Amino acid sequence: HIPTISTAKSVALIAEAKAKGLDVTCSVAVHHLHFTDEVLDNFDTNYKVLPPLRDTENVLALREALDNGVIDFVTSDHNPLDIELKFKEFDLADFGTIGLENVWGVLSQYTTVERAVTLLTAARKRFGIATTPIAVNTVADITLFTPEGTSVFTKEDILSASKNSAFIGATMKGKVLGVIANNQLILNE
């Protein structure tokens, strides 16, 4: 598995390996699908991620790879950081952005609902993580969401204790309504 690819060259090499029948998978962070390096013009440290954001050509190659199946999984690459680690000059700031609150709202802009669900859940099988089927008398482990509507993500929408989000001000499609996990219903209100 090759995690967090961000370039057209990576896409080409992975596609070539898959065409040869090699057992290769890869993932991309949702921010690499959404942002180009043009957002770095203002030196906002929330956009300082690793690997770095790329130009339009690379972002378009990632989106195409998402559509044609070269990319197997999408991650939030959630990396919460204390404000002291980001509130510095750009070159001194730490790498990372939070993304859990945004992965659905961003990813659903670039693919179908069914494909988005697969991209966010298929890694469990690849890495041997057990899944519980949805059935009577089983413990539920599900995410509740709607693919409808749009909204603009604000700092007030951040549920994480860390606020280092590259997605503040970004448009989201659909919404995660909550989860049922560990015998608890947790709703986003």
Side-chain angles (χ1 to χ4, degrees):
H1 178 71
I2 304 164
T4 334
I5 66 168
S6 66
T7 65
K9 182 68 173 174
S10 296
V11 168
L13 290 171
I14 293 163
E16 182 180 327
K18 287 182 175 195
K20 291 179 180 177
L22 297 175
D23 183 19
V24 174
T25 58
C26 68
S27 62
V28 63
V30 72
H31 49 263
H32 286 110
L33 292 171
H34 192 67
F35 296 112
T36 67
D37 59 358
E38 291 175 9
V39 298
L40 299 172
D41 288 349
N42 293 325
F43 296 99
D44 182 339
T45 60
N46 285 324
Y47 297 113
K48 185 176 180 183
V49 294
L50 195 62
L53 297 175
R54 306 298 183 173
D55 63 17
T56 301
E57 179 184 334
N58 285 293
V59 172
L60 293 176
L62 293 172
R63 291 178 189 167
E64 183 179 331
L66 195 71
D67 289 341
N68 66 26
V70 172
I71 292 176
D72 303 283
F73 320 123
V74 173
T75 69
S76 66
D77 199 28
H78 187 75
N79 187 2
L81 297 170
D82 291 333
I83 191 170
E84 293 84 15
L85 299 174
K86 285 296 213 178
F87 194 60
K88 298 179 178 184
E89 293 88 2
F90 192 86
D91 61 332
L92 299 176
D94 280 21
F95 294 97
T97 183
I98 59 174
L100 283 176
E101 291 97 339
N102 310 106
V103 70
W104 175 259
V106 173
L107 180 58
S108 61
Q109 296 175 53
Y110 300 106
T111 191
T112 65
V113 171
E114 295 81 7
R115 182 79 174 124
V117 169
T118 298
L119 289 163
L120 294 172
T121 61
R124 294 178 71 113
K125 182 177 180 185
R126 174 68 176 180
F127 296 110
I129 300 169
T131 58
T132 305
I134 299 173
V136 175
N137 296 322
T138 60
V139 176
D141 182 13
I142 60 175
T143 300
L144 309 168
F145 66 90
T146 179
E148 304 300 322
T150 60
S151 62
V152 175
F153 189 74
T154 67
K155 197 170 189 173
E156 291 74 33
D157 294 320
I158 298 174
L159 302 176
S160 175
S162 297
K163 306 299 181 198
N164 59 301
S165 176
F167 295 100
I168 295 171
T171 299
M172 302 288 124
K173 180 180 174 195
K175 183 175 184 174
V176 173
L177 303 172
V179 296
I180 300 174
N182 299 320
N183 290 318
Q184 295 180 16
L185 170 64
I186 303 168
L187 298 174
N188 295 336
E189 295 187 62

